[in-house]
Short mmCIF file of all heavy atoms in Angstrom, two decimals:
data_model
loop_
_atom_site.label_atom_id
_atom_site.label_comp_id
_atom_site.label_asym_id
_atom_site.label_seq_id
_atom_site.Cartn_x
_atom_site.Cartn_y
_atom_site.Cartn_z
N ILE R 43 -0.09 -1.03 -17.62
CA ILE R 43 0.23 0.01 -18.60
C ILE R 43 1.58 -0.24 -19.26
O ILE R 43 2.09 0.62 -19.95
CB ILE R 43 0.17 1.42 -17.96
CG1 ILE R 43 1.12 1.54 -16.77
CG2 ILE R 43 -1.25 1.78 -17.55
CD1 ILE R 43 1.24 2.94 -16.19
N GLY R 44 2.12 -1.41 -19.02
CA GLY R 44 3.39 -1.79 -19.62
C GLY R 44 3.38 -3.28 -19.91
O GLY R 44 2.33 -3.92 -19.91
N THR R 45 4.54 -3.82 -20.13
CA THR R 45 4.66 -5.24 -20.47
C THR R 45 4.88 -6.06 -19.20
O THR R 45 5.97 -6.57 -18.95
CB THR R 45 5.81 -5.46 -21.46
OG1 THR R 45 6.99 -4.86 -20.91
CG2 THR R 45 5.51 -4.84 -22.80
N TYR R 46 3.83 -6.15 -18.39
CA TYR R 46 3.88 -6.93 -17.17
C TYR R 46 2.46 -7.37 -16.81
O TYR R 46 1.49 -6.90 -17.39
CB TYR R 46 4.49 -6.11 -16.00
CG TYR R 46 3.77 -4.81 -15.72
CD1 TYR R 46 2.71 -4.78 -14.82
CD2 TYR R 46 4.15 -3.63 -16.35
CE1 TYR R 46 2.03 -3.60 -14.56
CE2 TYR R 46 3.48 -2.46 -16.10
CZ TYR R 46 2.42 -2.44 -15.21
OH TYR R 46 1.76 -1.26 -14.96
N SER R 47 2.34 -8.25 -15.85
CA SER R 47 1.05 -8.73 -15.37
C SER R 47 0.67 -7.98 -14.10
O SER R 47 1.53 -7.48 -13.39
CB SER R 47 1.13 -10.23 -15.06
OG SER R 47 1.50 -10.95 -16.20
N GLN R 48 -0.62 -7.98 -13.79
CA GLN R 48 -1.06 -7.36 -12.53
C GLN R 48 -0.44 -8.10 -11.35
O GLN R 48 -0.09 -7.49 -10.35
CB GLN R 48 -2.58 -7.38 -12.41
CG GLN R 48 -3.27 -6.43 -13.37
CD GLN R 48 -4.78 -6.61 -13.34
OE1 GLN R 48 -5.29 -7.71 -13.18
NE2 GLN R 48 -5.50 -5.51 -13.51
N ALA R 49 -0.32 -9.41 -11.48
CA ALA R 49 0.33 -10.21 -10.44
C ALA R 49 0.71 -11.56 -11.03
O ALA R 49 0.16 -11.99 -12.04
CB ALA R 49 -0.59 -10.41 -9.24
N VAL R 50 1.65 -12.21 -10.36
CA VAL R 50 2.05 -13.56 -10.72
C VAL R 50 2.02 -14.39 -9.44
O VAL R 50 2.61 -14.01 -8.43
CB VAL R 50 3.47 -13.59 -11.34
CG1 VAL R 50 3.89 -15.02 -11.63
CG2 VAL R 50 3.51 -12.75 -12.61
N LYS R 51 1.33 -15.52 -9.52
CA LYS R 51 1.22 -16.43 -8.38
C LYS R 51 2.14 -17.61 -8.64
O LYS R 51 2.04 -18.27 -9.67
CB LYS R 51 -0.23 -16.89 -8.24
CG LYS R 51 -0.51 -17.79 -7.08
CD LYS R 51 -2.02 -18.09 -7.04
CE LYS R 51 -2.39 -19.01 -5.93
NZ LYS R 51 -3.85 -19.30 -5.93
N VAL R 52 3.05 -17.87 -7.71
CA VAL R 52 3.95 -19.01 -7.78
C VAL R 52 3.73 -19.82 -6.51
O VAL R 52 4.05 -19.38 -5.41
CB VAL R 52 5.43 -18.57 -7.89
CG1 VAL R 52 6.35 -19.78 -7.93
CG2 VAL R 52 5.64 -17.68 -9.10
N ASP R 53 3.10 -20.98 -6.70
CA ASP R 53 2.71 -21.81 -5.57
C ASP R 53 1.84 -20.99 -4.60
O ASP R 53 0.77 -20.56 -4.99
CB ASP R 53 3.92 -22.45 -4.89
CG ASP R 53 4.64 -23.41 -5.84
OD1 ASP R 53 3.97 -24.06 -6.66
OD2 ASP R 53 5.87 -23.49 -5.77
N HIS R 54 2.30 -20.71 -3.40
CA HIS R 54 1.49 -19.99 -2.42
C HIS R 54 1.91 -18.53 -2.26
O HIS R 54 1.42 -17.84 -1.37
CB HIS R 54 1.56 -20.69 -1.06
CG HIS R 54 1.08 -22.10 -1.13
ND1 HIS R 54 -0.24 -22.43 -1.29
CD2 HIS R 54 1.75 -23.27 -1.09
CE1 HIS R 54 -0.36 -23.74 -1.34
NE2 HIS R 54 0.84 -24.28 -1.23
N THR R 55 2.80 -18.06 -3.12
CA THR R 55 3.28 -16.69 -3.06
C THR R 55 2.78 -15.92 -4.27
O THR R 55 2.84 -16.41 -5.40
CB THR R 55 4.82 -16.65 -3.01
OG1 THR R 55 5.26 -17.45 -1.90
CG2 THR R 55 5.34 -15.24 -2.83
N VAL R 56 2.30 -14.70 -4.02
CA VAL R 56 1.80 -13.85 -5.10
C VAL R 56 2.61 -12.56 -5.11
O VAL R 56 2.77 -11.91 -4.08
CB VAL R 56 0.30 -13.52 -4.92
CG1 VAL R 56 -0.21 -12.68 -6.09
CG2 VAL R 56 -0.52 -14.80 -4.77
N TYR R 57 3.12 -12.22 -6.27
CA TYR R 57 3.89 -11.00 -6.46
C TYR R 57 2.99 -10.00 -7.18
O TYR R 57 2.68 -10.18 -8.36
CB TYR R 57 5.15 -11.29 -7.28
CG TYR R 57 6.03 -12.32 -6.60
CD1 TYR R 57 5.86 -13.69 -6.85
CD2 TYR R 57 6.99 -11.93 -5.68
CE1 TYR R 57 6.64 -14.63 -6.20
CE2 TYR R 57 7.77 -12.88 -5.02
CZ TYR R 57 7.59 -14.22 -5.29
OH TYR R 57 8.37 -15.16 -4.65
N LEU R 58 2.55 -8.97 -6.45
CA LEU R 58 1.65 -7.96 -7.00
C LEU R 58 2.46 -6.83 -7.60
O LEU R 58 3.31 -6.22 -6.92
CB LEU R 58 0.72 -7.42 -5.91
CG LEU R 58 -0.32 -8.40 -5.37
CD1 LEU R 58 0.25 -9.26 -4.27
CD2 LEU R 58 -1.52 -7.65 -4.87
N SER R 59 2.20 -6.53 -8.86
CA SER R 59 2.91 -5.44 -9.53
C SER R 59 2.50 -4.10 -8.95
O SER R 59 1.46 -3.98 -8.29
CB SER R 59 2.60 -5.47 -11.03
OG SER R 59 3.14 -6.61 -11.62
N GLY R 60 3.30 -3.10 -9.22
CA GLY R 60 3.03 -1.76 -8.71
C GLY R 60 1.67 -1.24 -9.16
O GLY R 60 1.29 -1.42 -10.31
N GLN R 61 0.98 -0.63 -8.22
CA GLN R 61 -0.31 -0.01 -8.50
C GLN R 61 -0.20 1.48 -8.24
O GLN R 61 0.42 1.91 -7.26
CB GLN R 61 -1.41 -0.61 -7.61
CG GLN R 61 -1.77 -2.03 -7.95
CD GLN R 61 -2.46 -2.14 -9.30
OE1 GLN R 61 -3.24 -1.28 -9.71
NE2 GLN R 61 -2.17 -3.22 -10.02
N ILE R 62 -0.77 2.25 -9.15
CA ILE R 62 -0.84 3.70 -8.99
C ILE R 62 -2.32 4.08 -8.89
O ILE R 62 -3.18 3.23 -9.08
CB ILE R 62 -0.11 4.42 -10.15
CG1 ILE R 62 -0.72 4.08 -11.50
CG2 ILE R 62 1.39 4.09 -10.13
CD1 ILE R 62 -0.11 4.85 -12.68
N PRO R 63 -2.64 5.33 -8.57
CA PRO R 63 -4.04 5.70 -8.34
C PRO R 63 -4.88 5.84 -9.61
O PRO R 63 -5.53 6.86 -9.85
CB PRO R 63 -3.95 7.01 -7.55
CG PRO R 63 -2.64 7.58 -7.91
CD PRO R 63 -1.73 6.42 -8.18
N LEU R 64 -4.87 4.80 -10.42
CA LEU R 64 -5.70 4.77 -11.63
C LEU R 64 -7.07 4.19 -11.29
O LEU R 64 -7.17 3.22 -10.55
CB LEU R 64 -5.07 3.88 -12.70
CG LEU R 64 -3.90 4.44 -13.49
CD1 LEU R 64 -3.31 3.34 -14.38
CD2 LEU R 64 -4.33 5.62 -14.33
N VAL R 65 -8.11 4.78 -11.86
CA VAL R 65 -9.46 4.25 -11.74
C VAL R 65 -9.59 3.17 -12.82
O VAL R 65 -9.40 3.46 -14.00
CB VAL R 65 -10.51 5.36 -11.94
CG1 VAL R 65 -11.91 4.80 -11.89
CG2 VAL R 65 -10.31 6.47 -10.92
N PRO R 66 -9.89 1.92 -12.44
CA PRO R 66 -9.89 0.83 -13.42
C PRO R 66 -10.83 1.04 -14.61
O PRO R 66 -10.46 0.74 -15.75
CB PRO R 66 -10.34 -0.38 -12.61
CG PRO R 66 -10.07 -0.04 -11.21
CD PRO R 66 -10.20 1.45 -11.09
N GLU R 67 -12.01 1.58 -14.36
CA GLU R 67 -13.00 1.73 -15.43
C GLU R 67 -12.59 2.76 -16.48
O GLU R 67 -12.93 2.62 -17.66
CB GLU R 67 -14.37 2.12 -14.85
CG GLU R 67 -14.96 1.10 -13.90
CD GLU R 67 -14.39 1.15 -12.49
OE1 GLU R 67 -13.72 2.14 -12.12
OE2 GLU R 67 -14.60 0.17 -11.75
N THR R 68 -11.87 3.80 -16.08
CA THR R 68 -11.53 4.88 -17.01
C THR R 68 -10.05 4.95 -17.34
O THR R 68 -9.66 5.65 -18.27
CB THR R 68 -11.95 6.23 -16.41
OG1 THR R 68 -11.21 6.45 -15.19
CG2 THR R 68 -13.45 6.29 -16.15
#
């Protein structure tokens, strides 16, 4: 919902962005 990615994978490490209780379909 902003200017960021859901996650970024760097080699074997994944940085998952903040998730809130949004229903993906709606």
